[in-house]
Amino acid sequence: MAEFTMELNDEQKEVRDWLHGFAADVIRPAAAEWDEREETPWPVIQEAAKVGIYSLDFYAQQYFDSTGLGIPMAMEELFWGDAGIALSIVGTGLAAVGVLANGTEEQIGTWIPQMYGDANDVKVAAFCSSEPDAGSDVASMRTRAVYDEAKDEWVLNGTKTWATNGGIANVHVVVAVVDPDLGSKGHASFIVPPGTPGLGQGQKFKKHGIRASHTAEVVLDDVRVPGSCLLGGKEKLDERLARARERARAGGERVKNAAMATFEASRPAVGAMAVGTARAAYEVALDYAVTREQFGRPIIDNQGVAFQLADMRTSIDAARLLVWRASWMAINGKPFTAAEGSMSKLFASETAKKVTAQAIQILGGNGYTREYPVERMHRDAAIYTIFEGTSEIQRLVIARTLAGGVAIR
Ligand SMILES: Cc1cc2nc3c(=O)[nH]c(=O)nc-3n(C[C@H](O)[C@H](O)[C@H](O)COP(=O)(O)OP(=O)(O)OC[C@H]3O[C@@H](n4cnc5c(N)ncnc54)[C@H](O)[C@@H]3O)c2cc1C
């Protein structure tokens, strides 16, 4: 087990500074343009691919960093640059993790390279779980996957929504119901390969923030994928379903809601994104407060402004510490007995919303315009309290761990 320390090691500092340089020189200058265009920033993704930031190798290196701080550090720096562009860069990683976590070695080797493409021809991937009637309540999912034994194919039908990179992805990872009686235990994940007939993009959403990240519905109409596209394989699925049916028959373990438990380990990463946005807004506000003069002195000379900045900085540091704790616990296999992953995401995302609003206030009229980046950061920050489990769902998860078996609804 790696020794606990609050300090990044030299290698991590080097990676952090490299990422910060990319965020400052490439991402931040492009942020306003792609926010206005509301389009995927392909040239920026390509730049990231050229320098090695947009690649499985980079993601895997950070993921397997033995201190657990590789991913949170990377997320903080990239999202400090700009949340919408950074999500376009790391969105593929969410789908790739789905394959890494559940796929066979062959599936990992076949599909993950196709998710990223290469620097001359970059591709993206999408993870499609949410549906119009199954957001927080993942167990209500309706997209069905039916096995056609004669052809060894799975047939997928349904509508997915809110999919980051949905419809423009080269590879889609789709979660579908294989046994409706088992709630979320009856779900399985499938690869939908490039160009598969029947998969189409529904509406593309016009969003409040993270507008450089593409979000759309994905419609699956008799989509046929080979048996080899079931992540983990049929044998493993059959065993898992048999165990779940056995438990259900025995009236045992309540079927858990996947949205509440499955994402626990990925939540600190979202917390780190929120820390990046909050830190970015805080820095702009601090800079403004020391240079803007009113009543013959910098506005930071007013305790009312300085105390706001003190609170902003304190909350950001507290959020980062919760994120680092959860990330350290995850890499060291410590169970989240008090939902520490959810705590980090809840606190960091609420902090980002609050700090970005305070930054607008400190910039006064300028803060409210698109001449300055804080209004964009505030719009962007709102997503953190919604995706990968809303703040209410995080509180629910935390409360349940505290209540010792009392069914809190
Ligand atoms: C920009 C964006 C990108 C996304 N990317 C992806 C993606 O790539 N893949 C994917 O699968 N999904 C994605 N999502 C979906 C996201 O995870 C869902 O929006 C989220 O889980 C909430 O679901 P919902 O929108 O249906 O809200 P609902 O579940 O309908 O919630 C509405 C409100 O009710 C509250 N609520 C619901 N249940 C409870 C409860 N039991 N107790 C208290 N309050 C409750 C919620 O907190 C919320 O405030 C994305 C969403 C957005 C906006």
Side-chain angles (χ1 to χ4, degrees):
M1 184 187 295
E3 199 180 312
F4 181 76
T5 168
M6 290 289 185
E7 217 177 24
L8 298 177
N9 61 38
D10 288 347
E11 200 180 317
Q12 288 168 327
K13 283 182 191 157
E14 210 174 289
V15 175
R16 181 199 58 191
D17 294 348
W18 172 58
L19 289 171
H20 187 76
F22 186 81
D25 299 342
V26 182
I27 298 181
R28 183 73 69 86
E33 180 193 339
W34 292 100
D35 174 61
E36 286 294 333
R37 286 173 67 161
E38 297 194 49
E39 287 169 9
T40 301
W42 290 107
V44 185
I45 302 177
Q46 194 164 13
E47 274 306 300
K50 274 190 193 145
V51 298
I53 291 172
Y54 185 70
S55 72
L56 176 66
D57 275 1
F58 172 74
Y59 210 78
Q61 260 170 28
Q62 303 316 314
Y63 196 79
F64 292 113
D65 176 333
S66 62
T67 66
L69 300 188
I71 290 286
M73 185 191 67
M75 295 297 169
E76 182 177 334
E77 293 310 324
L78 295 173
F79 282 74
W80 174 91
D82 177 62
I85 294 178
L87 190 62
S88 285
I89 293 173
V90 308
T92 296
L94 304 178
V97 165
V99 177
L100 279 174
N102 302 309
T104 61
E105 274 185 26
E106 199 184 332
Q107 288 169 331
I108 292 168
T110 305
W111 298 113
I112 294 187
Q114 297 193 48
M115 291 181 165
Y116 285 92
D118 60 57
N120 296 318
D121 184 18
V122 284
K123 306 282 187 204
V124 292
F127 178 75
C128 312
S129 171
S130 302
E131 296 183 2
D133 293 322
S136 304
D137 183 12
V138 174
S140 308
M141 188 179 287
R142 288 201 203 131
T143 295
R144 277 303 306 264
V146 176
Y147 188 52
D148 178 346
E149 200 159 359
K151 294 187 173 158
D152 182 28
E153 286 177 346
W154 287 89
V155 187
L156 274 58
N157 276 292
T159 300
K160 293 293 177 184
T161 193
W162 306 123
T164 299
N165 297 335
I168 61 165
N170 202 34
V171 177
H172 291 77
V173 177
V174 175
V175 187
V177 177
V178 289
D179 185 335
D181 296 332
L182 293 175
S184 59
K185 297 280 182 206
H187 296 174
S189 298
F190 298 85
I191 293 280
V192 180
T196 304
L199 184 145
Q201 184 183 304
Q203 74 160 306
K204 177 187 168 185
F205 295 105
K206 288 180 83 66
K207 305 194 297 296
H208 177 61
I210 54 162
R211 301 196 304 184
S213 168
H214 171 105
T215 318
E217 285 179 333
V218 172
V219 181
L220 301 140
D221 182 12
D222 275 335
V223 170
R224 285 186 165 264
V225 297
S228 59
C229 285
L230 166 66
L231 286 178
K234 182 94 172 38
E235 206 175 306
K236 213 165 138 196
L237 173 69
D238 288 343
E239 281 169 23
R240 181 162 66 77
L241 293 178
R243 279 199 305 275
R245 284 183 198 118
E246 191 51 46
R247 273 200 296 271
R249 259 197 301 278
E253 194 180 302
R254 215 172 122 259
V255 172
K256 274 196 259 167
N257 185 331
M260 299 191 185
T262 315
F263 297 124
E264 188 64 19
S266 64
R267 283 175 177 156
V270 180
M273 299 172 186
V275 171
T277 300
R279 194 184 106 210
Y282 158 78
E283 286 175 9
V284 174
L286 176 63
D287 191 46
Y288 194 86
V290 294
T291 50
R292 169 72 177 168
E293 292 195 2
Q294 284 294 275
F295 302 100
R297 59 188 188 186
I299 58 170
I300 198 170
D301 276 6
N302 300 291
Q303 214 176 57
V305 174
F307 276 20
Q308 272 202 76
L309 286 158
D311 284 347
M312 289 156 79
R313 176 63 197 265
T314 305
S315 318
I316 293 165
D317 280 17
R320 185 186 299 104
L321 285 173
L322 282 176
V323 166
W324 282 19
R325 176 181 72 166
S327 306
W328 174 84
M329 290 175 76
I331 200 83
N332 286 300
K334 304 238 174 236
F336 288 151
T337 50
E340 289 87 346
S342 290
M343 278 189 205
S344 71
K345 199 246 174 195
L346 171 64
F347 189 76
S349 55
E350 294 292 340
T351 293
K353 247 167 88 165
K354 189 168 173 199
V355 163
T356 52
Q358 287 171 306
I360 293 178
Q361 192 63 22
I362 289 172
L363 268 71
N366 279 332
Y368 200 63
T369 71
R370 294 194 182 183
E371 296 299 309
Y372 284 79
V374 289
E375 68 79 30
R376 183 182 70 246
M377 291 166 182
H378 186 51
R379 287 187 284 109
D380 292 345
I383 191 56
Y384 302 125
T385 63
I386 296 172
F387 67 10
E388 293 262 335
T390 63
S391 284
E392 290 73 29
I393 294 302
Q394 309 303 332
R395 290 188 177 99
L396 196 57
V397 174
I398 298 162
R400 282 182 180 165
T401 68
L402 308 177
V406 178
I408 298 171
R409 285 174 200 280

